[in-house]
Amino acid sequence: MRTKKIKSLQRIVILLLITAIMAFTLAGVMGVLYIKEAAEVRRLREEQEQAVPVISWGNNGEQLDDTSDTVPETSGGDNSQISALMQAKEAEVEQALKDKMQQLVTSDDGSPLKMLRSFFPENLIYYYKEEYMFTPVLEDVKKHGLLDENFVQTEDGQMQYMENGVVASHKGIDVSKYQGHIDWPSVKEDGVEYAFIRLGIRGYESGKIVLDEYFEENMKGANDAGVMAGVYFFTQAVTVEEAQEEAAFVIENLAEYQVSCPVVFDVELISQTGKGRADNLTKEERTEITIAFCEAIRAAGYTPMIYGNIICFTQLLDMVRLNDYEKWYAFYDDYMYMPYDVSCWQYTEKGKIKGITGSVDLNIAYKPLW
């Protein structure tokens, strides 16, 4: 897979393209508003025309009575009033168009990035390292069958996926030491069905494997409250052997707990500056490392899963080789921008759940829970 980068002249071309797309969008909006308001303008004009007396003349040149009793009498003042109304209406339409143009330019829905995505569905498009990236959607990677119109956002901002009027998705969270002490019975009461709990990390500079400070408390709390639990490990492995070492550490620490959900390999970059020890791995190296971890987890009887964002699933990993593993996708918006098959979508980091102080990541799962 080759990622197309927009540089120099190409950058100018894409800016021109964005401008053209915005122009077409604005033209469409203007057309809709015009159609909506034109009827009112026509009505006013028709009133003006009907206000002119219909006069008939006899053969001898004498003026006859009005030919229709329904034509109202009028005066110059009436014509002036209708003209003023028409001008006011046209000014109103013009202002509405200006307001809509401003909205398109300033709102998220009108952003160039979102418009580009709608115009080029054959690519995954995102902004990375000050460039627009166009990555072809791979035919050999499994796709999901989710419909955009089935995603529904509740009044409190939580996402649901509906099928035939019934909620088909499952509500979940993911937590770590940053959530502090959690009241797990209250979490359960708030409708949370499952939780991914951070088990640990490998230091991005030291390379040392560390258990999350709240892992044991959270696993016990979730198990006792009846919240299905999975775990995730933030990797900084730079070799297959280190990935296997991380998997062994995870498996060892799961022995005492009920793990109903997948064991997740978090492959995010620590930064975009190459400061993490694993940030400069090639796609092939990272993919081999990911497979090594997942296969070790599978051999131990757990379900492996890969966590990542759009950069992970386009630039860091060979997705064709990872078809057999479940995916957990991070994308913070009110729509899920990802054609590939994913089991779970992390859609916000600013969720609010009973029993948790502050914000927490919210997820929805589409498949029957594990």
Side-chain angles (χ1 to χ4, degrees):
M1 179 182 67
R2 182 172 66 90
T3 299
K4 304 174 186 175
K5 295 187 177 182
I6 304 169
K7 298 179 180 290
S8 304
L9 181 60
Q10 290 178 307
R11 184 172 298 172
I12 297 175
V13 171
I14 196 61
L15 290 175
L16 291 174
L17 178 61
I18 292 170
T19 303
I21 292 171
M22 293 183 69
F24 280 122
T25 303
L26 293 174
V29 173
M30 292 172 68
V32 171
L33 290 173
Y34 176 80
I35 291 171
K36 182 179 179 181
E37 302 293 344
E40 180 66 13
V41 174
R42 281 199 303 271
R43 185 185 66 78
L44 292 171
R45 284 178 175 165
E46 288 171 359
E47 288 182 3
Q48 183 182 31
E49 292 172 357
Q50 292 172 0
V52 178
V54 180
I55 301 175
S56 298
W57 300 86
N59 293 332
N60 59 0
E62 294 181 355
Q63 180 178 337
L64 303 178
D65 293 336
D66 293 347
T67 57
S68 172
D69 293 336
T70 61
V71 177
E73 294 185 359
T74 185
S75 66
D78 293 332
N79 284 332
S80 298
Q81 184 177 11
I82 293 175
S83 296
L85 288 172
M86 290 173 60
Q87 291 175 1
K89 196 65 179 178
E90 290 170 352
E92 181 182 337
V93 172
E94 181 180 356
Q95 186 59 48
L97 291 173
K98 291 179 179 178
D99 293 343
K100 189 62 179 178
M101 290 170 67
Q102 182 179 6
Q103 179 184 349
L104 284 171
V105 171
T106 58
S107 70
D108 290 338
D109 288 346
S111 68
L113 186 58
K114 194 165 187 178
M115 286 192 289
L116 283 172
R117 288 169 175 169
S118 67
F119 274 83
F120 299 96
E122 71 278 9
N123 289 280
L124 280 165
I125 305 172
Y126 51 96
Y127 196 70
Y128 178 62
K129 292 185 177 180
E130 300 184 352
E131 296 182 25
Y132 285 99
M133 311 299 291
F134 284 65
T135 304
V137 175
L138 302 178
E139 293 183 1
D140 294 334
V141 180
K142 289 192 295 187
K143 313 298 190 299
H144 64 71
L146 303 171
L147 302 176
D148 291 342
E149 59 268 25
N150 286 0
F151 286 97
V152 177
Q153 194 167 26
T154 64
E155 292 182 358
D156 57 358
Q158 297 186 14
M159 296 298 300
Q160 295 178 334
Y161 188 79
M162 310 291 292
E163 288 182 348
N164 301 318
V166 178
V167 177
S169 58
H170 303 277
K171 178 178 176 179
I173 59 174
D174 57 275
V175 299
S176 67
K177 69 176 185 178
Y178 298 108
Q179 276 67 50
H181 297 287
I182 296 175
D183 180 352
W184 283 99
S186 294
V187 170
K188 174 70 172 180
E189 183 182 343
D190 202 11
V192 172
E193 300 176 70
Y194 62 95
F196 288 111
I197 295 166
R198 190 173 77 168
L199 186 146
I201 65 170
R202 184 189 287 272
Y204 69 90
E205 290 182 334
S206 68
K208 182 180 178 180
I209 296 178
V210 179
L211 191 71
D212 186 283
E213 298 170 23
Y214 282 79
F215 167 70
E216 295 176 346
E217 178 181 323
N218 283 332
M219 284 298 292
K220 186 176 186 305
N223 284 172
D224 291 347
V227 176
M228 296 176 65
V231 301
Y232 68 97
F233 183 88
F234 180 78
T235 181
Q236 283 291 291
V238 295
T239 65
V240 165
E241 291 74 23
E242 285 191 348
Q244 293 170 336
E245 180 188 13
E246 292 175 352
F249 177 80
V250 170
I251 293 166
E252 179 184 357
N253 282 280
L254 291 180
E256 298 180 10
Y257 304 105
Q258 182 178 351
V259 183
S260 305
C261 299
V263 174
V264 184
F265 197 51
D266 183 346
V267 298
E268 294 173 284
L269 295 174
I270 193 67
S271 67
Q272 294 185 13
T273 59
K275 292 183 178 180
R277 69 194 302 265
D279 283 0
N280 295 318
L281 290 171
T282 66
K283 179 180 293 186
E284 291 74 19
E285 289 171 336
R286 193 182 300 273
T287 300
E288 289 291 344
I289 286 169
T290 301
I291 291 172
F293 180 94
C294 290
E295 286 304 306
I297 293 300
R298 178 176 283 168
Y302 300 103
T303 300
M305 177 183 275
I306 303 164
Y307 172 89
N309 54 26
I310 195 168
I311 296 171
C312 298
F313 292 166
T314 57
Q315 295 210 28
L316 304 189
L317 296 170
D318 183 349
M319 296 297 286
V320 175
R321 297 184 62 194
L322 302 174
N323 266 328
D324 291 340
Y325 306 113
E326 296 197 42
K327 314 296 189 308
W328 175 14
Y329 178 53
F331 182 77
Y332 300 153
D333 212 317
D334 59 359
Y335 71 112
M336 192 187 78
Y337 181 64
M338 174 53 64
Y340 299 148
D341 184 47
V342 297
S343 300
C344 192
W345 171 30
Q346 182 187 82
Y347 60 90
T348 183
E349 58 185 349
K350 300 178 180 179
K352 301 297 180 184
I353 294 293
K354 292 179 182 178
I356 298 178
T357 303
S359 299
V360 64
D361 297 338
L362 295 183
N363 305 272
I364 58 174
Y366 308 113
K367 302 177 181 180
L369 289 181
W370 309 271

